[in-house]
Amino acid sequence: MLRATDLVKTYGEKCAVDGIDFEVPAGESFGLLGPNGAGKSTTMRMVGAVSTRTSGELEILGLDPNDYGPEIRSQLGVVPQADNLDVDLRVRDNLLVYGRYFGLDRKIVARRADELLEFAQLSDRKTARVDDLSGGMKRRLTIARALINEPAMLLLDEPTTGLDPQARHILWDRLFQLKERGITLILTTHYMDEAEQLCDRLIVVDEGKIMAEGSPANLIRQYSSREVLEVRFGTEHNANAAKRLEGLGDRMELLPDRILIYAPDGETVLNQVIATGLEPITSLVRRSSLEDVFLRLTGRSLIE
Amino acid sequence: MSGSDLQHETGLQRQGGSPGQGTATVPTAQLAGLTLEDLRNRALRGGAKPRRYGTWYVAACKFRHQRTYIHTIIWTAIGTPLLYLMAMGLGLGSLVSANMGDEGISGVSYLVFVAPALLVTAAVSVGSEEMTYTILGGFKWNPIYFAMNAAPLAPVQIINGVVISVIARLTFVTTIYYGALLAFGASPSAWGWLTIPIGVLTSLGFNSLIMAYSASIEQDSGQIAMIMRFLVMPLTLFSGTFYPLETMPGYLQPIGWLSPLWHGAQLARSATYGLDESGLLIAGRIAYLVVLTAVGWIWAHRIAARRLNR
C-alpha cells in the first residue's frame, strides 16, 4: 500500500525528513508519533503526493507520486492539520464542490454528500456557514469531505488536536468504523491515548529519523516496564530519596516533582519503598503507557 | 447503554447536533479483500478525469464563489458605465466640446473619445480585484488551493481555472459596458463589439504579472493595496485614458508606452471610431498585451507549483 525507502526531504540547509523507511500494508492503521518539528507533517505531505521528495523511494498504491500524483491523490482522503474547508461555501456545498474535483458524477456526489453528512452528524447543518460550526463539527466536516471519493487511504494529520473529549471520542468511533471497512489509516498525533486507541503499528519520529517502530503494546514492552510507580516526597526531598531508592525496579527517573520507578509489579516496589523507612506524600501505581515510551525516546525537554 | 454510546450522547448534546444515535452506516466502499493491483488500477482510472478536466472543476468552484457576490458583480457592471459615461462623457464632455468643438479630439466628440478607454479601464479594474485578493486569499485566508491540490488537481489547473472564472466576469463586464456605449451613441463603428475581447485581453495583460506577484505573497502587509494605489491608479491617469497621450509632456509619455492600458485603450478606439493607426501598430499593441499575459500567467503557474508542492 505504502512503501518508503530512505525517504529524505530537505528545505535549503534544513533536513526535515532524514532518511526514513517504513511500509504499510492495506487495511492497517499506522501512526507517526513525534514532537513538534519531528518531520511528521512533511512526511504526511509526501505520502499525500503533494510535496516532492528530495531523495529516496516512495511508492503509494504501487505508484510513484512523482509520475502519478493525480492518480494517487484520487484514492486518498486528506485531513490536514489546519482545516481548509471553503468558508465561502455552505456546509453541503463544500462536499459537492470537493467531490467534483475528483471528476465524480454530480448525482453520485449529491448522494454521498447526504450520507456523509449523516455519518458526520451534520445533517441538520447542511446550509450552515462553515464559520458558524464548532471546532469539532469543522473537523467532522473535513473528514466527511475526505471520504467523498471513497478513498483507499485516509491521511489524518493531528485529527483531534484542539477538540474536547466528547468530540474526540465521536471521531475515534468514526475512524474505527472506517478501519473496519478496510480503509488504510495513516495518522499523526501528539496524544498517546489516541495512538494506543487507533494504531495497529506506529513509528516514533524525532529530528527526521525513526527512533522506534512497532505496535503500541510491543513498544511499551520494549522501551518501558509493565507498570510505573510514581512517588512524591516534596520537591526538596525527592533527590535525597532517589539516592536511597537506587536499585529498586528496572529503572528509575528523577523528576523535579516526583520519582518514577519502572517495574513489572508496582505494588511490590511500593512496599519495598516503604520498607526503607521513607514515607512518600503520595504514591501511584499505574500501567506503563505509550507516553512513557515517547518521553524516553524523545526526551523531556521542551521542543519548540 | 455502553460507555461509548453515552459519550456520543453527551457529545451531541454539548454540540447541539441531531439526536442521532452515533450509529450511522459508513458511507464508503468495502475495500477489504482488494489486492494492491486492484487498488493501483482503481487509482489509474481515478486520475483520468481530473487530469483532463481539472481546470474546469476549479472554474466551476470559482463560479460558485462568484455567485456569493453576484449582486456586486451585476450592479458594478451596470453602474460603472452609467456613472462614468454620464460624468466624463456628458458632463466633462460638454465642457470640452464648448472649448474645442464637437469633433475636437482626434476628429470625434469627447464622449466618443473617452468611452472606449473607460470600458478598458473598467475591465482592468475588475481584473485587478479578481486577480489579486482572490489569488492571495486562496493561498492564505481561505486556503482552498491547498485543498484542491490535496485532491487530484494540479497547480497549473488551479491557476487556469481561476483565470477562466476571471475571463468570464470580464466578458460580462465588457459586454454590459459595450451595451452602454451603444446606448450613449458612443460607438459609431460597426466594429465596436471588438472592445469586448480587447477589454478582456487588456485586463489580462495588465493583471497577469500582478496575479503572479499576488500568488507569491507569504506575509500580507498591505502589498496589494500598495499596488492598487501606486501602480493601478497612476497608470489609469497617465495612460491616455482621459486625454490623448500626446498632450502630456514628453518625459511622461513613456509611462503610457509601457502601460498595457494605453495600448488597450488605443485598440478600443480603433474599434469604436476607427482611430487612424497602421495595421503594424495595431498588431504590435496586441502582441504586447499577449506577451504580458503569457509571461504573468506562466510565472503564476511556477509560483503556485512551488508554493503548493514545497
Side-chain angles (χ1 to χ4, degrees):
Chain A
M1 189 73 167
L2 178 60
R3 179 186 294 137
T5 317
D6 200 18
L7 191 59
V8 174
K9 179 73 185 184
T10 54
Y11 294 106
E13 297 280 286
K14 194 173 164 287
C15 191
V17 174
D18 192 5
I20 65 174
D21 299 78
F22 58 88
E23 206 169 318
V24 183
E28 193 178 68
S29 161
F30 183 77
L32 284 92
L33 266 65
N36 286 334
K40 302 187 300 284
S41 292
T42 309
T43 306
M44 287 296 260
R45 288 170 43 73
M46 285 192 279
V47 171
V50 171
S51 177
T52 319
R53 63 182 186 267
T54 307
S55 68
E57 293 302 316
L58 183 61
E59 212 176 79
I60 308 159
L61 298 152
L63 298 167
D64 184 333
N66 284 356
D67 303 324
Y68 293 97
E71 282 75 15
I72 292 167
R73 297 201 298 274
S74 78
Q75 302 303 308
L76 303 183
V78 181
V79 179
Q81 212 175 92
D83 290 318
N84 57 11
L85 294 161
D86 192 335
V87 296
D88 288 337
L89 301 177
R90 308 279 169 153
V91 167
R92 185 164 180 272
D93 291 342
N94 257 280
L95 300 183
L96 297 183
V97 167
Y98 208 77
R100 293 287 295 155
Y101 295 165
F102 294 85
L104 299 171
D105 188 69
R106 275 196 185 80
K107 270 188 205 153
I108 293 178
V109 174
R111 180 172 53 75
R112 280 191 202 159
D114 292 328
E115 290 169 358
L116 284 166
L117 287 172
E118 191 70 31
F119 176 68
Q121 297 178 12
L122 290 167
S123 290
D124 56 344
R125 295 291 181 132
K126 276 180 191 170
T127 56
R129 287 178 186 285
V130 169
D131 277 334
D132 293 338
L133 301 182
S134 72
M137 290 174 171
K138 279 187 194 161
R139 219 70 193 126
R140 297 208 298 276
L141 181 57
T142 306
I143 290 176
R145 189 184 69 176
L147 294 171
I148 196 86
N149 58 323
E150 301 199 311
M153 185 157 89
L154 195 56
L155 307 179
L156 303 131
D157 198 352
E158 296 185 17
T160 63
T161 298
L163 299 188
D164 64 23
Q166 284 83 2
R168 287 177 76 200
H169 280 272
I170 292 179
L171 229 131
W172 287 351
D173 166 73
R174 292 296 183 263
L175 294 178
F176 194 77
Q177 287 184 40
L178 294 172
K179 182 173 147 45
E180 283 180 330
R181 299 286 286 193
I183 295 186
T184 309
L185 300 180
I186 315 282
L187 67 120
T188 74
T189 182
H190 285 310
Y191 298 121
M192 300 304 134
D193 52 342
E194 183 160 289
E196 288 190 72
Q197 283 269 349
L198 293 176
C199 298
D200 300 323
R201 208 158 53 87
L202 51 88
I203 52 177
V204 179
V205 191
D206 197 16
E207 292 175 354
K209 288 192 161 73
I210 294 179
M211 310 298 288
E213 178 175 358
S215 70
N218 272 336
L219 286 172
I220 292 171
R221 210 170 301 140
Q222 196 177 340
Y223 292 98
S224 193
S225 52
R226 208 171 76 91
E227 290 187 341
V228 184
L229 168 67
E230 299 195 2
V231 282
R232 294 168 195 261
F233 297 94
T235 313
E236 289 174 8
H237 307 292
N238 281 341
N240 280 332
K243 267 181 208 151
R244 286 177 58 186
L245 296 177
E246 253 167 48
L248 291 184
D250 299 342
R251 187 164 67 88
M252 184 192 301
E253 193 173 1
L254 171 66
L255 301 178
D257 64 328
R258 69 211 140 114
I259 299 166
L260 304 185
I261 301 171
Y262 298 84
D265 179 2
E267 288 293 339
T268 310
V269 179
L270 178 58
N271 289 334
Q272 290 169 344
V273 169
I274 293 170
T276 61
L278 286 169
E279 285 181 22
I281 303 168
T282 63
S283 64
L284 167 74
V285 175
R286 59 170 175 83
R287 302 275 298 203
S288 229
S289 73
L290 213 48
E291 190 139 341
D292 298 304
V293 176
F294 184 85
L295 289 172
R296 179 164 186 197
L297 289 172
T298 62
R300 284 189 183 267
S301 58
L302 199 57
I303 301 154
E304 280 173 332
Chain B
M1 185 181 269
S2 75
S4 71
D5 283 335
L6 198 66
Q7 274 151 346
H8 293 318
E9 295 293 331
T10 327
L12 283 168
Q13 278 156 16
R14 277 176 57 94
Q15 303 199 9
S18 68
Q21 301 302 307
T23 52
T25 48
V26 198
T28 54
Q30 180 58 263
L31 294 168
L34 293 187
T35 64
L36 184 62
E37 190 59 28
D38 295 334
L39 292 170
R40 185 171 175 274
N41 289 331
R42 202 172 176 255
L44 291 175
R45 280 196 308 275
K49 276 180 119 183
R51 262 193 202 270
R52 193 173 305 163
Y53 304 115
T55 299
W56 296 101
Y57 302 152
V58 177
C61 167
K62 293 308 295 177
F63 289 142
R64 264 178 193 269
H65 281 182
Q66 289 180 338
R67 234 191 278 164
T68 63
Y69 56 98
I70 190 75
H71 294 290
T72 313
I73 292 180
I74 291 175
W75 289 114
T76 53
I78 297 173
T80 312
L82 287 183
L83 292 176
Y84 273 85
L85 288 174
M86 272 196 271
M88 306 303 292
L90 302 182
L92 187 63
S94 65
L95 207 66
V96 176
S97 297
N99 273 314
M100 309 189 58
D102 275 345
E103 294 175 357
I105 300 181
S106 10
V108 294
S109 72
Y110 185 68
L111 174 67
V112 172
F113 168 80
V114 81
L118 288 177
L119 178 148
V120 173
T121 309
V124 165
S125 107
V126 165
S128 322
E129 271 170 51
E130 292 271 354
M131 294 166 90
T132 51
Y133 291 110
T134 315
I135 290 284
L136 173 60
F139 285 109
K140 217 168 160 63
W141 304 310
N142 184 24
I144 53 170
Y145 302 152
F146 291 95
M148 289 172 172
N149 188 224
L153 306 180
V156 169
Q157 294 175 320
I158 294 171
I159 293 294
N160 290 355
V162 173
V163 173
I164 285 174
S165 74
V166 177
I167 291 175
R169 182 173 173 193
L170 290 174
T171 307
F172 176 72
V173 165
T174 47
T175 303
I176 300 270
Y177 220 118
Y178 176 62
L181 253 59
L182 289 179
F184 278 76
S187 177
S189 159
W191 294 101
W193 59 272
L194 280 173
T195 48
I196 296 169
I198 290 168
V200 174
L201 176 63
T202 310
S203 188
L204 293 179
F206 193 103
N207 291 307
S208 287
L209 289 169
I210 300 179
M211 166 172 78
Y213 174 69
S214 299
S216 76
I217 296 176
E218 303 263 350
Q219 293 299 326
D220 173 35
S221 49
Q223 294 98 319
I224 290 177
M226 299 285 267
I227 289 179
M228 297 286 185
R229 224 166 283 160
F230 297 109
L231 190 71
V232 178
M233 190 58 196
L235 279 185
T236 311
L237 294 174
F238 292 100
S239 296
T241 316
F242 304 108
Y243 45 85
L245 191 67
E246 305 85 69
T247 57
M248 278 209 304
Y251 60 92
L252 282 177
Q253 292 186 18
I255 300 177
W257 303 339
L258 288 175
S259 167
L261 183 51
W262 180 61
H263 296 285
Q266 294 299 87
L267 286 172
R269 285 178 175 128
S270 292
T272 57
Y273 66 86
L275 174 71
D276 191 25
E277 288 198 328
S278 71
L280 195 64
L281 184 54
I282 289 175
R285 295 192 196 283
I286 294 174
Y288 182 58
L289 294 173
V290 169
V291 167
L292 282 181
T293 304
V295 170
W297 202 330
I298 292 168
W299 188 28
H301 284 166
R302 296 207 172 162
I303 288 174
R306 208 184 307 147
R307 191 156 183 183
L308 293 170
N309 300 339
R310 80 178 61 172

